[in-house]
């Protein structure tokens, strides 16, 4: 149960972290391309105003894709179209103009040549792995050449979007602590026995549910129990615990 709570808490922290990036990117006109609850692949998804919203199959945190995290380069196409070119060499005719424009730094010419490459990729007879790799690479280049790409934005916008995730986590922690202290923190905890290890001397006297009224002759408080439990004791040392027995049936 504790492990499940820890995993759920971590997933929630990741989710609000990614949500911080997402909403901040929207606010500075850097439109994200995807926002998922949990990680892809998608169980269900929907495109709204150019953004793909979905619920992922891996139940941990969330995922946001911000376009153009780096400036596109010719090597981006080489890395993703390798297998596709092996299966359909004629694609090189459509890849070459885009690569040449990127190598020359002519981003507008590269952007203009992309639709023909996209159309050629759609027509190519490729295996599923080759198509997925090529499509991912081409999409990344398209995003990188878009006007709202991350790398094109002023430095202050990039810094704000990157810091938004951890700052959201920090703000959440502050708000959560404020709520806890407004609701109140218990100051009096009744010291009761939770469980007794069988075979120990305590098992002959104590029972789960017994209320401890004194430890080593001192009336019980939370601090006194923590102090007694945290002291180093040699095996066989006696720890005197007083419990009222009159309440037992």
């Amino acid at each position: 149960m504790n492990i499940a709570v820890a995993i759920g808490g971590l997933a929630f922290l990741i989710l609000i972290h990614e949500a911080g990036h997402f909403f901040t990117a929207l606010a500075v006109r850097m439109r994200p391309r995807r926002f998922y609850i949990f990680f892809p692949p998608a169980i269900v998804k929907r495109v709204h105003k150019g953004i793909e919203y979905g619920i992922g199959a891996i139940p941990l945190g969330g995922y946001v894709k911000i376009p153009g995290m780096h400036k596109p380069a010719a090597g981006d196409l080489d890395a993703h179209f390798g297998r596709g070119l092996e299966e359909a060499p004629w694609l090189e005719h459509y890849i070459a103009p885009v690569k040449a424009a990127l190598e020359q730094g002519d981003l507008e010419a590269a952007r203009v040549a992309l639709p023909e490459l996209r159309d050629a990729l759609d027509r190519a007879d490729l295996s599923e792995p080759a198509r997925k790799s090529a499509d991912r690479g081409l999409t990344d280049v398209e995003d990188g050449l878009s006007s709202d790409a991350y790398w094109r934005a002023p430095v202050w916008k990039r810094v704000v979007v990157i810091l938004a995730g951890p700052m959201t986590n920090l703000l959440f922690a502050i708000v959560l602590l404020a709520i806890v202290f407004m609701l109140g923190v218990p100051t009096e905890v009744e010291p009761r026995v939770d469980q007794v290890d069988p075979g120990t001397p305590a098992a002959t006297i104590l029972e789960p549910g017994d209320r401890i009224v004194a430890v080593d002759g001192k009336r019980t408080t939370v601090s006194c129990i923590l102090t007694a439990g945290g002291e180093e004791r040699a095996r066989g040392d006696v720890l005197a615990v007083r419990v009222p027995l009159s309440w037992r049936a």
Side-chain angles (χ1 to χ4, degrees):
M1 179 63 181
N2 290 338
I3 294 177
V5 171
I7 292 175
L10 178 61
F12 178 73
L13 289 176
I14 296 173
L15 178 61
I16 63 173
H17 177 99
E18 296 300 331
H21 290 307
F22 176 80
F23 288 110
T24 304
L26 278 179
V28 298
R29 300 181 182 277
M30 195 183 297
R31 181 173 55 86
R33 300 301 190 257
R34 288 184 182 179
F35 181 71
Y36 275 47
I37 297 175
F38 304 150
F39 293 138
I43 297 174
V44 60
K45 60 184 178 180
R46 179 186 177 188
V47 177
H48 178 66
K49 293 184 177 179
I51 303 174
E52 181 179 299
Y53 298 90
I55 299 176
I58 304 174
L60 284 175
Y63 166 75
V64 59
K65 182 182 180 183
I66 296 174
M69 294 299 291
H70 69 275
K71 187 176 180 180
D76 296 338
L77 294 175
D78 291 332
H80 290 90
F81 273 84
R83 187 165 179 177
L85 284 172
E86 291 177 4
E87 297 179 10
W90 58 269
L91 283 173
E92 178 63 31
H93 174 74
Y94 298 93
I95 296 174
V98 180
K99 288 176 57 178
L102 290 175
E103 288 171 351
Q104 295 168 11
D106 190 345
L107 302 184
E108 180 59 24
R111 189 184 64 80
V112 170
L114 283 178
E116 287 191 1
L117 177 54
R118 171 63 71 182
D119 181 65
L121 179 60
D122 291 341
R123 291 185 283 109
D125 184 15
L126 301 176
S127 63
E128 190 63 21
R131 180 171 298 281
K132 281 186 176 181
S133 177
D135 184 68
R136 183 166 58 250
L138 183 53
T139 299
D140 287 345
V141 172
E142 288 171 339
D143 288 344
L145 292 174
S146 64
S147 60
D148 59 352
Y150 175 85
W151 69 269
R152 291 182 184 269
V155 173
W156 73 266
K157 286 188 177 183
R158 285 180 275 165
V159 171
V160 166
V161 170
I162 290 298
L163 290 180
M167 292 304 295
T168 300
N169 289 133
L170 178 61
L171 180 61
F172 172 76
I174 294 172
V175 171
L176 185 62
L177 285 174
I179 292 173
V180 168
F181 281 106
M182 282 191 293
L183 294 177
V185 180
T187 56
E188 293 296 328
V189 179
E190 189 174 36
R192 288 188 178 274
V193 176
D194 180 54
Q195 63 182 27
V196 183
D197 292 337
T200 61
T204 63
I205 302 173
L206 298 177
E207 295 180 0
D210 282 349
R211 182 167 58 87
I212 300 172
V213 297
V215 177
D216 276 347
K218 299 177 183 177
R219 188 170 182 81
T220 54
T221 62
V222 174
S223 60
C224 121
I225 292 176
L226 292 176
T227 301
E231 291 178 354
E232 292 187 5
R233 297 174 181 270
R235 186 175 180 84
D237 280 0
V238 176
L239 176 65
V241 178
R242 179 182 172 191
V243 299
L245 303 180
S246 56
W247 71 272
R248 292 183 183 172

